[in-house]
Structures are given as structure tokens and as C-alpha cells.
């Protein structure tokens, strides 16, 4: 794997060239096409995925058949069903490719080995997970307490370029509103 790509992926960490090379040996490149399913509910989750270029979304379908978007993963984002990934459980959600995507995946086993060999690698992922937890809590509280307009503005702040990549019904699903409500909010702004 090219050192320049590894440097880009792990730019928030402090790694030597040797460490980056070691990390690169644990990453596998995946080219995905729009519509490809990366993970299906019920599968065992062995990998986390880094989106180098493109867009993925995680979602689940409730008992009534309603689709709920949980996360978008655009350039420079990591995605998996982390509950299943860390607990060794079956996936509770699906991950689909909504734009042609170049990604890199890493297994849980390789990640654990790299934690032992490269302490800065463990720090890198700990900080990523801390940011994810903070964002998750803010989103949860926002969905419970904020009006639709404020949720949309927060979404645009988090994903400033995503509207060109995803369909309106995916955005509405992520925000917990109908596409009609999303259209009304956009008109207000």
C-alpha cells in the first residue's frame, strides 16, 4: 500500500514510516459500486472500513418496514456495525454503497495486534471512537429535543458536501422526518 495513502488515512496520528507500513499490511482495498451491500443484518462483523473516496450509509429496517439511516460515511470516515464489531455479535444493521466507493478494511484481529505493536495506533482509534461517541450523543439529544430546522442545520454542518451524494429520502430518514418535511425545512432556509 502506498505510503502517501497511509499518511492521508492516519494524518491525525503520529506514526513512523515503518509503523505506517506495518499498518498498511493490515488494510485491504475494496472497490464498491453504487448499490453494493457491504454488510447485511445478521452477518458476523469482522471488519471496520475506511472510506477513502465515495459514500456508504448504515441503516436498519424496523418491524413496520421503515428504513432508518444511522450514519453516512463519506471521504475520510470509518464505518462498521461497531456494536457487533467490538462485541463479536451479529450485525444489527446493513451498510450499503450509495456512491461508487474506494475503501480499505481492517479486521478486528489485525486491529488488536496493531494495538499491541504500535501504541500510537491504539491512541488514534481511541480518539476516533471518543469523537464518534460525542457525535452520537449530540445527534441523539438533537433528535429528541431540536426542531426539524435545527436538526437539518446540524446535519449540514456535520456533512457539508453530502447533499450532492445522497438521495433526499436518505437524508430525511437520517433526520427522522419525512421527505416533505425536509423540503419544507429547506424552503424556510
Amino acid at each position: 500500500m502506498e505510503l502517501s495513502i497511509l499518511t492521508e488515512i492516519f494524518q491525525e496520528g503520529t506514526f513512523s514510516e515503518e509503523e505506517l507500513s506495518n499498518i498498511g499490511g493490515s488494510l485491504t482495498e475494496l472497490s464498491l459500486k453504487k448499490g453494493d451491500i457491504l454488510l447485511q443484518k445478521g452477518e458476523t462483523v469482522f471488519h471496520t472500513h475506511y472510506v477513502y473516496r465515495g459514500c456508504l450509509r448504515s441503516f436498519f429496517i424496523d418491524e413496520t418496514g421503515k428504513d432508518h439511516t444511522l450514519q453516512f460515511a463519506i471521504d475520510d470516515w470509518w464505518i462498521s456495525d461497531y456494536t457487533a464489531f467490538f462485541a463479536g455479535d451479529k450485525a444489527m444493521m446493513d451498510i450499503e454503497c450509495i456512491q461508487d466507493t474506494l475503501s480499505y478494511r481492517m479486521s478486528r484481529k489485525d486491529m488488536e495486534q496493531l494495538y499491541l505493536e504500535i501504541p500510537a495506533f491504539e491512541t488514534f482509534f481511541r480518539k476516533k471512537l471518543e469523537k464518534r461517541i460525542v457525535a452520537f450523543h449530540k445527534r441523539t439529544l438533537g433528535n429528541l429535543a431540536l426542531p426539524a430546522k435545527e436538526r437539518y442545520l446540524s446535519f449540514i454542518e456535520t456533512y457539508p458536501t453530502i447533499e450532492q451524494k445522497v438521495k433526499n429520502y436518505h437524508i430525511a430518514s437520517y433526520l427522522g422526518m419525512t421527505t416533505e418535511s425536509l423540503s419544507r425545512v429547506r424552503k424556510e432556509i
Side-chain angles (χ1 to χ4, degrees):
M1 183 171 202
E2 291 180 38
L3 184 61
S4 61
I5 292 173
L6 288 165
T7 301
E8 194 174 335
I9 293 171
F10 296 99
Q11 63 185 311
E12 294 174 29
T14 306
F15 302 100
S16 68
E17 284 187 25
E18 182 181 339
E19 289 171 331
L20 284 174
S21 179
N22 194 9
I23 294 167
S26 295
L27 291 167
T28 304
E29 183 178 302
L30 290 173
S31 290
L32 303 162
K33 296 289 181 197
K34 181 178 179 177
D36 286 351
I37 302 297
L38 183 65
L39 179 67
Q40 286 188 310
K41 182 179 179 179
E43 292 180 343
T44 302
V45 181
F46 295 108
H47 299 95
T48 183
H49 301 265
Y50 174 81
V51 177
Y52 186 72
R53 182 177 55 250
C55 186
L56 303 171
R57 83 171 179 119
S58 64
F59 66 98
F60 76 94
I61 298 174
D62 68 20
E63 299 160 355
T64 66
K66 186 174 179 184
D67 180 312
H68 300 272
T69 299
L70 302 170
Q71 177 190 359
F72 294 104
I74 54 177
D75 303 358
D76 193 34
W77 286 59
W78 291 86
I79 189 169
S80 188
D81 179 332
Y82 285 109
T83 301
F85 180 72
F86 289 118
D89 293 334
K90 302 287 185 190
M92 298 185 302
M93 64 184 76
D94 297 89
I95 299 176
E96 74 172 332
C97 188
I98 56 177
Q99 186 180 53
D100 289 353
T101 299
L102 174 62
S103 70
Y104 295 93
R105 73 178 186 188
M106 179 178 290
S107 73
R108 173 83 171 152
K109 181 181 175 187
D110 286 344
M111 182 178 273
E112 290 292 335
Q113 186 61 40
L114 288 169
Y115 286 165
L116 296 173
E117 295 172 4
I118 307 170
F121 183 78
E122 185 173 32
T123 301
F124 173 85
F125 272 102
R126 178 185 48 80
K127 288 180 179 180
K128 288 282 186 191
L129 288 172
E130 287 171 355
K131 287 180 185 178
R132 178 173 301 261
I133 290 168
V134 168
F136 174 75
H137 282 262
K138 283 182 178 179
R139 178 170 177 232
T140 302
L141 292 172
N143 281 351
L144 293 172
L146 293 177
K149 181 178 177 181
E150 297 303 316
R151 285 190 311 233
Y152 177 71
L153 290 171
S154 177
F155 171 79
I156 294 303
E157 184 179 316
T158 303
Y159 299 102
T161 62
I162 202 158
E163 290 190 89
Q164 299 82 24
K165 297 180 179 189
V166 302
K167 297 183 185 217
N168 286 337
Y169 64 85
H170 290 317
I171 295 171
S173 168
Y174 179 86
L175 295 171
M177 61 178 74
T178 64
T179 52
E180 294 80 12
S181 296
L182 177 61
S183 293
R184 279 194 299 277
V185 167
R186 284 179 171 155
K187 285 179 186 174
E188 285 179 30
I189 296 172

